[in-house]
Amino acid sequence: MGDKKTGDKKQTEKNLDRLTPREIVAELDKYIVGQKKAKRAVAVALRNRIRRLKLESDMREDIAPKNILMIGPTGVGKTEIARRLAKLAGSPFIKVEATKYTEVGYVGRDVESMIRDLMAAGIQMVKQEMQESVTAEAEKRAEEALLDLLLPGNKKRKDSKPPAPGPVVRPMGTFAINPDNNGGPGPALMGAAIQVGIPAVISRSVSRDSDAPDDREEQEAKDTATAQEKDGVGSQAGDAAGRDTSTREKFRAMLREGKLEDKMVEITVNQSPQFPAIEMMGGGIEELESSLSGIAGLFGGGKKKKLVTVSRAREILIAEESEKLIDRDRVSDEARQRVEETGIVFIDEIDKIAVKGERGNGPDVSREGVQRDILPIVEGATVNTKWGQVNTDHILFVAAGAFNVSKPSDLIPELQGRFPLRVELDSLGKDDFLRILTEPKNALTKQYIELLATESVEIVFTSDAVERLAVLAADVNARLENIGARRLHTIMEALLEELSFEAPDIAPTKVSITEAYVNEKLTDLVMDNDLGRYIL
């Protein structure tokens, strides 16, 4: 067990060690504009995890993760930073909203469910990796199963056992029976006594106290089989087997060449039992779900026949064979180790459970109760899941909130102390919007160009048009609610709504998005405060 944990730790180190803090920031820059302080903070937190894994076990256990609290208005990149960070690290990651949780006794999810969700993400990640490692063997087995479906007669002949050798008959003398007088004087019936040698495999199952020794029976069976081969009895069976093999190989070649992809076959698939939906008030639904899944495992799901194409059957069979080839216990052990050592939980909207002003009145009781329930999870606790117990001592928690109504100091002091790193994210201005529209790999302008290209409509954004869009976004954010980069989504959709609607009718064509085009579509909308409030 110790060797296995050491191997898992080395694999985790290998995955994380390839990224230095500077490289992590460079990768985040490809998708997120600005926010250097936040990027540096998460890069250092991620690098500290690999540094910790390189320490001796006694020192490693004492080093707690440096949890991060991100403070900034909506739409500035808080969630995107955490999501991209987890993708870079290859770590189990989940994003949850603090507003979904309630303290025990209230309607809603209990806070421990976030760790169960994280464990489920880890299980899925490890299972996918292990299935990829056995893909070649799974494809080989699926191919054989497909050939069995395409050649059912061949399968029966292949699976059938060779016929047992015939009995060996040997004369043993004569005997007399007097049917009338039970052995007395009178007419008698004469008969011949024979010995029937039954093959050894049958002899052992029928009778162990046979007069003839097992060794002699086995030898007699072998002698009979040899004699039959010499007499040519098995030649027809051999020819049939040869023909079956030849046919199977022909079908195998056709299968690999893709000539049978649309052929229909009947396949038997495992079917999971379905339970009726159950609604519960309060917590505990996860425990009930776990219990029901355990009951389902006892009864089994049964099997169901489906008529599908060969291409679809191959996918089903590969999935089933991959599932058989992986070790479920190893999956859960590896996933638990990853979750405990490298898991990341992003808690969004944490400002919504902060209590402003005096505590203890109205709905604030529930919000403060959620903080009290989250506290032991962040501090370090053991959570029961259907895959075993998970320790949260070294899971990295990243919390985020706008804090436009409440303040970080409105959180309970104990919870504040568990997020030692605080990072303030900057509001976005015109220059930031200009970079967001052009620099990232998934920039909005690039997205719309590719979307409309599917309709054979080529659109080109001029530099002055992009700059005008950035100015309009900053202006609307300043006059109305500041929703950060999300304002660009609303403006771009309003700009291209008419073109997106007419694209199938005017294709193929080329459209240039110029500053004049932007002013025509958006200026009146932006200047009309009443209309802009509802549309933008």
Side-chain angles (χ1 to χ4, degrees), residues 99-367:
T99 52
K100 287 187 176 180
Y101 299 98
T102 62
E103 63 177 311
V104 176
Y106 285 76
V107 177
R109 302 191 72 191
D110 67 286
V111 296
E112 289 187 350
S113 64
M114 70 174 69
I115 305 302
R116 299 189 187 99
D117 294 342
L118 182 64
M119 187 64 187
I123 289 285
Q124 184 63 29
M125 177 184 294
V126 174
K127 182 184 289 187
Q128 184 174 355
E129 291 177 4
M130 290 189 176
Q131 286 178 341
E132 289 175 357
S133 66
V134 298
T135 299
E137 179 63 24
E139 289 176 350
K140 182 179 177 182
R141 294 190 179 191
E143 183 181 79
E144 296 299 330
L146 272 176
L147 290 172
D148 291 340
L149 292 173
L150 293 167
L151 300 168
N154 178 272
K155 177 176 183 281
K156 292 178 182 178
R157 190 174 289 110
K158 183 186 70 170
D159 293 341
S160 61
K161 296 180 180 179
V168 178
V169 181
R170 183 175 291 112
M172 297 293 292
T174 60
F175 62 90
I177 299 177
N178 189 330
D180 296 330
N181 300 318
N182 294 326
L189 297 176
M190 300 298 295
I194 60 172
Q195 179 192 33
V196 178
I198 302 175
V201 65
I202 301 176
S203 173
R204 289 197 187 98
S205 62
V206 174
S207 174
R208 270 292 181 185
D209 55 356
S210 175
D211 293 336
D214 289 340
D215 293 343
R216 188 173 66 185
E217 293 175 354
E218 290 179 6
Q219 186 60 43
E220 290 169 352
K222 290 179 181 179
D223 293 343
T224 304
T226 302
Q228 290 176 346
E229 290 179 2
K230 289 180 178 179
D231 293 340
V233 174
S235 58
Q236 294 180 354
D239 293 340
R243 286 194 299 272
D244 291 341
T245 303
S246 176
T247 304
R248 190 177 183 87
E249 292 307 315
K250 288 179 181 177
F251 269 77
R252 189 191 306 276
M254 295 171 65
L255 199 59
R256 292 178 178 177
E257 293 171 3
K259 296 179 179 179
L260 303 175
E261 294 300 289
D262 296 329
K263 184 177 176 61
M264 302 298 292
V265 293
E266 188 179 69
I267 186 172
T268 303
V269 296
N270 295 323
Q271 190 177 20
S272 300
Q274 299 294 325
F275 290 96
I278 299 176
E279 294 185 2
M280 290 183 61
M281 303 297 289
I285 189 66
E286 285 83 9
E287 289 83 353
L288 178 62
E289 179 185 354
S290 177
S291 301
L292 288 177
S293 64
I295 296 173
L298 292 176
F299 288 101
K303 295 184 180 297
K304 177 183 178 181
K305 290 186 176 181
K306 295 176 67 176
L307 195 63
V308 296
T309 62
V310 167
S311 59
R312 176 58 182 153
R314 183 186 292 106
E315 296 175 4
I316 296 172
L317 290 170
I318 289 177
E320 289 185 354
E321 294 298 335
S322 298
E323 188 74 22
K324 294 175 185 176
L325 288 169
I326 62 175
D327 184 351
R328 293 189 178 183
D329 292 335
R330 187 184 166 200
V331 169
S332 59
D333 291 342
E334 167 72 8
R336 189 183 308 110
Q337 188 269 341
R338 286 198 196 182
V339 166
E340 292 180 347
E341 297 292 343
T342 67
I344 300 175
V345 177
F346 180 76
I347 307 175
D348 203 5
E349 309 293 351
I350 198 169
D351 58 315
K352 303 302 187 293
I353 61 170
V355 181
K356 183 180 179 182
E358 296 295 327
R359 295 184 171 88
N361 296 319
D364 291 347
V365 177
S366 177
R367 287 192 282 176

Side-chain angles (χ1 to χ4, degrees), residues 3 12 15 26 44 62 64 74 110 136 151 200 223 233 254 258 265 297 299 317 357 373 386 403 468 474 485 520 530:
D3 294 339
T12 304
N15 292 338
V44 170
D62 294 333
T74 183
D110 67 286
L151 300 168
D223 293 343
V233 174
M254 295 171 65
V265 293
F299 288 101
L317 290 170
D373 286 351
K386 60 183 177 182
F403 290 100
R468 180 61 177 160
E520 178 188 349
D530 293 333

